Amino acid sequence: MTSNAADMPFGQTRGLLSAVMASCRDAIIAYSLDGQIEAWNRGAEEIYGFSQEEAIGSPAELTTPRDRVGENDRLREAAIQGRSIEHFDTLRTRKSGESFPAAICGFPIRNEREEVVGYATIERDISGRMQAADTLRIALTEAQEANAAKSRFLANASHELRTPMNAIVGMTALALEEDISHELRDYLETIRDSADSMLHLVNDVLDLAKFESDGFELEEVPFDPRELSESAIKVLGTAAHAKGLELVCHVAPDVPTAVIGDPMRLRQVLTNLLGNSIKFTAAGEVVVDVSPVSIEKKRCKLQFSVKDSGIGISDKDQERIFKPFTQVDGATTRRYSGTGLGLTITQHLIDCFGSQLELESQPGVGSRFTFCLTLPLASKPEDTVSRATEKLRGMTVLVVDDNQASRDTLTEQFAAWGMRPAIASSGREAMRLVEKSLDKNSPFDLAVVDALMPGLDGFTVASKIEGDERISTKPIIMASTTDRLEFSRRCAEAGAAAYIQKPISQSQLLSAVVQASGVASLDGPPRKALFDAPTCEKLRVLLVEDTPANRKVAQRVLSKRGHEIEVAVNGREALDLFRKEEFDVVLMDVQMPIMDGYQATEAIREIERSGGRVPTPIIAMTAHSMSGDREKCLRAGMDNYLSKPLDLPKLIRMVESVSENGIKNHAAKPQHVEASKAAAEPESPMAAPAADLDTALKRLRGDRGLLLDMMGFFEQDAPTLLAAVDKNLESGQLAEVERGAHSLKGLASTFDAVAAVSSARDVEQAAHDGRADALPPLVKSLHAEVANLLAFLRDYR
Ligand code: ADP
């Protein structure tokens, strides 16, 4: 077009507008003021199926469904008042009778004198757009369902994987309790540690699902940062050795020995970072360093770092790699295996710790990942290490290692024990120092020699010293990353008094020094004996578990502790036994054929109620680890919860403490609690502490970790249980109110919280007796007591 419409004569413009109307794919319809159709374009013909001849002269209702005719009146009235109507979405009907979604706007038509002579609408068929929106909605629902299915799948898959892992971990722990050779113990410990790593892998995948659904929580238990770092690094020793890498764990001597945090998660972080460093390093070393940044009265700040001499990461890639499923080398034929999940989870965990993961890296030189944690200090366990090292004070020790990080760590450790280290970085230098010490007539008391060194290797150095007649005693410790069996054979041939496998842990180094020098007897650190005689009385335990291997683990462990075990392989069998006999505690698997753990627990509670029997503590055992499982168990009437794979010491602690707690309290509670409450109240009702944690701790045999665990459980569960009590009270479900109060009572009694226990018992009793009227004030006071106890526990923590 060469000229625009404004310049055209009027007739020509009209012609053009008619062409626009005719060509428009929307319906353009004109109406007279009395509502008759006066103009009907081709778009209207196409959309509605009525020809111009059919439509013109028809009423506006021609295409309007009966329930929408009011719209036509509104359009007409607006036009008469000279107003336009904005787009609105509605329904219209085609000639075929089919209705469809339409978007309509309307406006008045004016003549040359600006008088309104009619009105017009532009109507668009939006069924395509709506369909697209529907498709999108369906796709969204499907995606949400798929996501939920993925979470279910992950939970199930992890359950399936965790079940056999329980037997592997349990049987290994049992085997480790036997009187076995040093070598076999070493193998079994590696199996145990590897099984732990595998569990971590399963948990990694689960974690990701939990992060996505915000169902993630950290633990707060006491642990030793040194023990944790050394054991994390030990698991990866074989992988490092296979690549000929030097793996060093340096924990500064002044790192506190007891802090509070989440050791499993910290271990997961270190394992992830270490695993990567080993994977991406072809030669050289990987060093884990733990050093204090500050130590205050109640807490410390520790810096953890993992440094390698590997391929490094370019600046550009440093941001990318923290995203899930991302690797620097994205090619399908890439050289390094992996899922690209490790760093995502690591970073997320460190975020949860309230810290940041920092990365310094240079391609071709190496990487260093660092993070700092502020951790509360826990009360110190007995310091068996410094007792054992007293006799080492003043001894001279020759440290021979070609790797500087190894040398530095050993030297620092010896110095911390009060020994006097001398350092050699090669076999030759070592021999020179030995000669010099002989010249001065003060031979070294001890030598720690790295087996694999360039030039004169450690075995040769050891043989030379061994063969030297001027040296009367030859306490040599060989250190190496090589294959254990081969290593121990060659050490014996070279005349070494002891040997240690790298990466070296403090406890290992200490026992090798003691063995080689013979100066101190090692009365610590003692191996934690799982089967020491229990401090509680012999218990009758009903073990309900369908998987034979898992049954065997729990059965062996508890019977070795001197308890009497009755076994049922499903809920039905458990009920048969429970009807006939009394038990001190029931260990209940959750998923079982015929009758599952929830149903069995409910039935047991019913038997107790109807028979007037004292409730027996029931501990759930489940391989599910999604949040909500614990609550489900407690709701079903169980008193506590263990997740599989079973942590055997925890199993023992829980069976013995829960049952002790349960039996004593259940049997003596009514009079005992009432009496002590009555005695305490008149004197100073406000001053009585909400709980007696000293007694609670004594009952847990001083296990503060377990006490803190239990506090954590209480803090998690009490509000949920209280809310359920409220809800059930409102809907008149007194049996449920009774059950909730019973669980609260059990939980509160763990802390000897007399007032809360008594209040929960009052609610339980009133609900049991069907005294609905009495309940509201009792539940109110239960709220107050629980809030009081929660505040008390929080303060204590
Ligand atoms: P993956 O399972 O692939 O190791 P990660 O999330 O742990 O997944 O790591 C993502 C990527 O980051 C790795 O594939 C690698 O490219 C890079 N990366 C991580 N750690 C190192 C390291 N220490 N040295 C070099 N590259 C690393």
Side-chain angles (χ1 to χ4, degrees), residues 21 24-31 41 47-48 75 85-88 102-107 119-125:
M21 256 189 86
C24 182
R25 306 218 33 209
D26 290 339
I28 303 179
I29 307 168
Y31 306 84
N41 77 339
I47 291 173
Y48 288 105
L75 282 162
I85 294 249
E86 291 290 319
H87 262 117
F88 64 95
I104 297 180
C105 65
F107 49 90
Y119 65 97
T121 56
I122 300 178
E123 308 187 0
R124 173 170 291 182
D125 178 350

Side-chain angles (χ1 to χ4, degrees), residues 358-381:
E358 277 161 26
L359 166 61
E360 299 154 64
S361 187
Q362 214 182 326
V365 178
S367 312
R368 180 168 185 256
F369 288 87
T370 316
F371 59 95
C372 289
L373 298 187
T374 301
L375 302 165
L377 295 173
S379 54
K380 275 199 182 111

Side-chain angles (χ1 to χ4, degrees), residues 111-133:
N111 62 16
E112 287 99 35
R113 291 191 300 278
E114 289 293 311
E115 294 158 347
V116 175
V117 291
Y119 65 97
T121 56
I122 300 178
E123 308 187 0
R124 173 170 291 182
D125 178 350
I126 55 169
S127 44
R129 201 173 80 197
M130 296 302 255
Q131 228 161 29

Side-chain angles (χ1 to χ4, degrees), residues 725 729 734 737-738 762-768 770-781:
V725 166
L729 179 62
L734 296 195
V737 173
E738 183 187 350
D762 290 347
V763 172
E764 185 187 11
Q765 193 61 49
H768 182 77
R771 289 183 282 125
D773 292 350
L775 275 168
L778 292 176
V779 169
K780 198 169 159 210
S781 84

Side-chain angles (χ1 to χ4, degrees), residues 539 558 585 587 617-620 630 639-643 647-661 700-701 706 709-710 713:
L539 299 170
L558 293 172
V585 59
L587 275 172
I618 302 180
I619 301 171
R630 253 171 54 75
D639 298 86
N640 224 320
Y641 172 100
L642 278 168
S643 73
D647 174 335
L648 299 185
K650 204 166 176 172
L651 166 74
I652 292 172
R653 284 196 307 246
M654 203 176 274
V655 165
E656 289 170 8
S657 65
V658 166
S659 63
E660 191 173 301
N661 196 14
L700 299 178
R701 288 188 301 289
L706 187 61
D709 271 359
M710 299 214 164
F713 294 156

